Amino acid sequence: MLQLRPGCECCNKDLPPDSTDARICSFECTFCSDCTDQVLNGICPNCGGELVTRPRRPADKLVKFPASTERVFNENCSAKGSEGNVD
């Protein structure tokens, strides 16, 4: 089951469970669409995987299977994103 982490690891923007703005990789690293597009170019800075739209859990399921409250923030995210963009 996906953790549905509460915020962007790059800019710390809140990403509630029903957010259409959340992006994840296969390891569930979580970013907002702005950081994904403008900083990371669609690639996870942690694992190198593709960042895709995070599925949303139906509201009635959140009661029994709540989203994670663990917030992950990497203040060096923008530096990692720019390092990976060298052609």
Side-chain angles (χ1 to χ4, degrees), residues 26-75:
S26 65
F27 288 97
E28 297 183 54
C29 301
T30 304
F31 302 93
C32 69
S33 62
D34 287 340
C35 288
T36 295
D37 297 339
Q38 298 172 15
V39 177
L40 305 172
N41 293 324
I43 303 298
C44 178
N46 302 322
C47 70
E50 175 184 27
L51 292 169
V52 299
T53 302
R54 180 179 73 187
R56 290 170 287 161
R57 187 167 299 151
D60 63 322
K61 301 294 183 197
L62 282 169
V63 174
K64 186 172 181 180
F65 305 102
S68 174
T69 58
E70 177 188 355
R71 190 172 284 271
V72 177
F73 178 64
N74 181 348
E75 61 189 40

